[in-house]
């Protein structure tokens, strides 16, 4: 069964460093998303991406964040100048434009120290 | 007012019983409604979705939607210990679009032997 894959599964970084989280969406999907979940809190939307541009972004997704689809398969989330409060699980998701449901990757646990 | 509200639980049911999970939402523009299951430290896993008023059944799971009351529920029949997880309710404004999912905080279900 096709699935969304994310790498790395766990990333530890020092405060102030830049990190890139990578995702390979399901191959025939065209809508891509990033969500995050701080430990013990709800899953929060960050950004959606379609046709090589951002469709929607939340208040969380400020200038510190950026997304890119560098090639035909990868979808990345870059976090510049990481802060302690960026520590969270980051989930990539994708969906097919003909269907309503989105499927999540297994997540990247980001720990900022 | 929270956008998507769920009782955090834990909801404890004996094995073989019916578990009933509830969710209310505030955005009347919501068109699609989802139930995800999340095991501790894992990503959300789609159980089912619904966008028409009434019931939708899939195996042991039944989703119920009442748009007038802004209420969604999930029934799990013949509950098993493996159903013990956090159940996330999520809503979306569109169908088949890049609209974001808005999640509740989840209800923790414990199925006891």
């Amino acid at each position: 069964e096709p699935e969304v894959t994310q790498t790395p599964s766990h990333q530890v970084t020092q405060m102030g460093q830049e990190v890139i989280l990578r995702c390979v969406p399901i191959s025939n999907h065209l809508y891509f998303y990033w969500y995050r979940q701080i430990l013990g809190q709800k899953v929060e939307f960050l950004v959606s991406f379609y046709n090589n541009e951002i469709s929607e972004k939340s208040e969380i997704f400020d200038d510190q964040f950026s997304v890119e689809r560098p090639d035909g398969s990868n979808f990345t989330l870059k976090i510049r100048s990481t802060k302690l409060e960026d520590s969270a699980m980051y989930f990539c998701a994708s969906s097919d434009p003909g269907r309503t449901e989105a499927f999540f990757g297994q997540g990247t646990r980001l720990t900022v120290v | 007012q929270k956008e998507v509200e769920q009782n955090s639980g834990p909801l404890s049911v004996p094995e073989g019983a019916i578990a009933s999970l509830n969710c209310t939402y505030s955005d009347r523009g919501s068109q699609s409604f989802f139930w995800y299951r999340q095991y501790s430290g894992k990503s959300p896993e789609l159980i089912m979705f619904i966008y028409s008023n009434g019931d939708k059944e899939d195996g042991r799971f039944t989703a119920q939607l009442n748009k007038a009351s802004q209420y969604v529920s999930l029934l799990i029949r013949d509950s098993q210990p493996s159903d013990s997880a956090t159940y996330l309710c999520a809503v979306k404004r569109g169908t088949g679009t890049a609209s974001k999912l808005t999640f509740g905080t989840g209800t923790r279900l414990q199925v006891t032997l």
Side-chain angles (χ1 to χ4, degrees), chain A residues 31 33 35 37 42-43 45 48 50 55-56 89 91 95-107 109, chain B residues 3-4 32 34 36 38 41-46 49 51 88 92 94-105:
Chain A
Y31 295 140
Y33 315 83
Y35 290 83
Q37 187 175 32
K42 66 179 181 179
V43 177
F45 169 77
S48 60
Y50 171 68
S55 299
E56 185 178 1
M89 281 288 284
F91 296 113
S95 63
D96 181 331
R99 303 171 66 90
T100 195
E101 65 270 37
F103 296 91
F104 284 73
Q106 80 279 19
R109 180 175 298 282
Chain B
E3 294 180 88
V4 180
S32 307
F34 303 81
Y36 285 85
Q38 187 176 35
K42 303 296 185 183
S43 62
E45 174 191 4
L46 180 67
F49 64 91
Y51 44 79
L88 309 178
K92 182 177 174 183
T95 59
T97 70
S99 298
K100 66 181 182 183
L101 288 165
T102 300
F103 283 86
T105 53

Side-chain angles (χ1 to χ4, degrees), chain A residues 81-98:
Chain A
S81 189
T82 49
K83 300 174 281 194
L84 294 176
E85 53 264 39
D86 294 327
S87 295
M89 281 288 284
Y90 287 81
F91 296 113
C92 175
S94 68
S95 63
D96 181 331

Side-chain angles (χ1 to χ4, degrees), chain B residues 13-19 60 76-81 83 111-113:
Chain B
V13 299
E15 184 178 5
I18 295 175
R60 295 187 296 114
I76 306 174
R77 288 180 297 281
D78 188 24
S79 296
Q80 301 296 309
D83 293 327
V111 180
T112 57
L113 295 172

